[in-house]
Amino acid sequence: MNLLEAQLAYPFDDTLPDVGSTFEVMPGIKWLRMGLPFALNHINLWLLVDEYEGENGKVRGWTVIDCGISNDATCAAWETIFATQLEGLPIVRVIATHCHPDHVGLADWICSRWKVPLWMTTGEYTFARMMSAALPGADGTSMFPFFKRHGLADPQMLAELEGRRSYYPTLVPSVPTSYIRMHDQQSFRIGDHAWRVITGFGHAPEHAALYCADLNLLISGDMVLPRISTNVSVFAVEPESNPVQQYLDSLLKYKDLPEDTLVLPSHGKPFRGLHTRIQQLFDHHAARLEEVLKACVTPQSAADIVPIMFVRKLDSHQLSFALGEALAHLHKLWKDGMLKRIIGEDGVIRFQVY
């Protein structure tokens, strides 16, 4: 546990549910943990007891919140959950907090299997459909000219990235062809309790966290994580975005929640200390922005900034996010009027202090 983590409270200590099993966070709320084939090697998913009114009237069962990626191991883990953890009740609804593969990858599989609807925000649903279909601008090929324009020139790394052309469709082979829309501050019931949607930006197009005042419980998705800082990146499809600013603005939406809110994050362990963690995240980005600004005394591309922000060796999967995050911090400083943007004779975009 690092020093920042030690400032938070972990009510379940080091408890982690085994793959294919569950841990009861509180009555009617189960915690699942699925593996991921990345450096970030797990995702937390949630089952909530529900009574959902569908086409054939009210049905008592479980609402699934987030789904894991589409691969054999995750499907097998879900099959075990279906067989052993549902207490004889069906799945009645799937909610995806956002469009990233570890959250929506198996949504279509679960929805089709149980004949239930998918709930998402419009921003997340449309991006999931767009990326799963590999539409131009959102497909794997779009990142190569984008990364090159921001200074990535390593032939080996470009070759490795070339192998990731079908990254998203491989992990999210399909998305349901219809959905039920969630929107900011919407209130709806899951089982006996009202839940409020809190949308967030910067990490994903229209991320939906869920807060229940009755239970003082926040399902935070990727917006507030206890151990790592959420990735905020600029991508080719929105090349002049300002995701760091969007993310910091979004964190302020959680300031009205109690400090002792139990936070159920998508990665890491459930914790209390929400306001403390939000301040840690503000401090983290302030420190990153300061080091980027200092580096830009001379012109710097996003690729130049990556080793300043990320000192460890990165594989191609990590580099794609690191480059996007380096550019995101450059963009905030640029949009704040602290850096100017320069396009060199080589076509590479660099940033420098005025």
Side-chain angles (χ1 to χ4, degrees):
M1 181 179 292
N2 62 39
L3 292 176
L4 294 181
E5 284 184 281
Q7 297 174 21
L8 308 176
Y10 295 89
F12 309 119
D13 297 321
D14 292 326
T15 298
L16 298 174
D18 294 329
V19 173
S21 186
T22 62
F23 175 82
E24 189 174 68
V25 172
M26 58 180 61
I29 299 179
K30 294 186 176 186
W31 171 18
L32 297 71
R33 188 175 166 99
M34 301 287 187
L36 295 173
F38 317 124
L40 184 60
N41 63 4
H42 72 278
I43 180 171
N44 300 323
L45 314 174
W46 315 98
L47 285 172
L48 278 62
V49 166
D50 201 358
E51 187 175 66
Y52 188 77
E53 186 160 6
E55 294 180 357
N56 300 315
K58 288 186 178 181
V59 178
R60 185 168 174 78
W62 298 94
T63 280
V64 172
I65 299 183
D66 289 336
C67 305
I69 62 171
S70 178
N71 67 5
D72 291 343
T74 311
C75 288
W78 271 117
E79 292 289 4
T80 302
I81 295 293
F82 296 155
T84 65
Q85 301 296 312
L86 300 188
E87 302 172 15
L89 298 174
I91 303 297
V92 296
R93 164 170 48 186
V94 173
I95 296 174
T97 57
H98 61 295
C99 66
H100 293 163
D102 49 337
H103 297 262
V104 77
L106 281 177
D108 195 30
W109 181 74
I110 297 174
C111 288
S112 297
R113 181 187 179 94
W114 294 93
K115 296 180 174 55
V116 298
L118 171 66
W119 285 46
M120 293 183 81
T121 64
T122 293
E124 299 298 333
Y125 176 76
T126 53
F127 258 79
R129 289 292 302 274
M130 184 167 61
M131 291 188 291
S132 183
L135 296 182
D139 60 339
T141 59
S142 65
M143 68 181 174
F144 300 109
F146 181 69
F147 284 174
K148 287 179 180 178
R149 192 150 197 239
H150 287 285
L152 187 61
D154 183 336
Q156 180 180 346
M157 191 57 71
L158 287 168
E160 290 183 23
L161 287 170
E162 179 78 16
R164 290 167 51 82
R165 284 178 181 269
S166 300
Y167 167 73
Y168 193 95
T170 299
L171 303 179
V172 190
S174 60
V175 178
T177 55
S178 65
Y179 77 112
I180 294 176
R181 181 180 184 178
M182 297 190 297
H183 58 82
D184 192 42
Q185 304 305 316
Q186 174 186 2
S187 179
F188 63 92
R189 298 193 73 80
I190 302 177
D192 296 329
H193 303 286
W195 292 77
R196 174 164 60 97
V197 178
I198 304 174
T199 55
F201 308 92
H203 176 66
E206 193 183 0
H207 182 294
L210 298 171
Y211 176 68
C212 178
D214 293 346
L215 303 174
N216 196 22
L217 186 68
L218 174 68
I219 297 177
S220 65
D222 279 354
M223 289 299 292
V224 186
L225 304 175
R227 182 178 176 85
I228 62 174
S229 60
T230 297
N231 178 260
V232 285
S233 286
V234 178
F235 294 106
V237 72
E238 192 181 356
E240 295 197 2
S241 63
N242 189 4
V244 172
Q245 187 65 63
Q246 291 176 326
Y247 178 68
L248 295 176
D249 290 345
S250 296
L251 287 179
L252 297 176
K253 290 186 172 185
Y254 303 106
K255 285 287 192 177
D256 68 336
L257 304 187
E259 167 66 4
D260 65 347
T261 297
L262 178 58
V263 182
L264 304 184
S266 290
H267 308 283
K269 297 178 294 186
F271 70 95
R272 288 192 171 93
L274 176 61
H275 296 176
T276 299
R277 184 56 182 151
I278 289 171
Q279 187 58 52
Q280 291 175 357
L281 291 167
F282 270 94
D283 293 344
H284 166 81
H285 285 288
R288 298 291 80 75
L289 289 163
E290 183 178 358
E291 66 185 6
V292 170
L293 185 62
K294 287 180 178 178
C296 289
V297 172
T298 56
Q300 302 287 323
S301 69
D304 295 328
I305 293 297
V306 167
I308 296 172
M309 292 182 62
F310 303 91
V311 295
R312 67 188 185 278
K313 183 175 175 57
L314 303 174
D315 60 26
S316 59
H317 175 78
Q318 295 165 328
L319 178 64
S320 63
F321 292 106
L323 190 68
E325 183 142 352
L327 184 56
H329 286 78
L330 287 165
H331 272 199
K332 174 163 169 54
L333 293 167
W334 172 47
K335 301 278 186 177
D336 287 349
M338 302 179 76
L339 297 179
K340 58 184 175 181
R341 190 171 71 164
I342 305 164
I343 302 176
E345 293 182 2
D346 57 1
V348 172
I349 297 175
R350 296 178 177 87
F351 298 82
Q352 186 178 16
V353 295
Y354 280 99

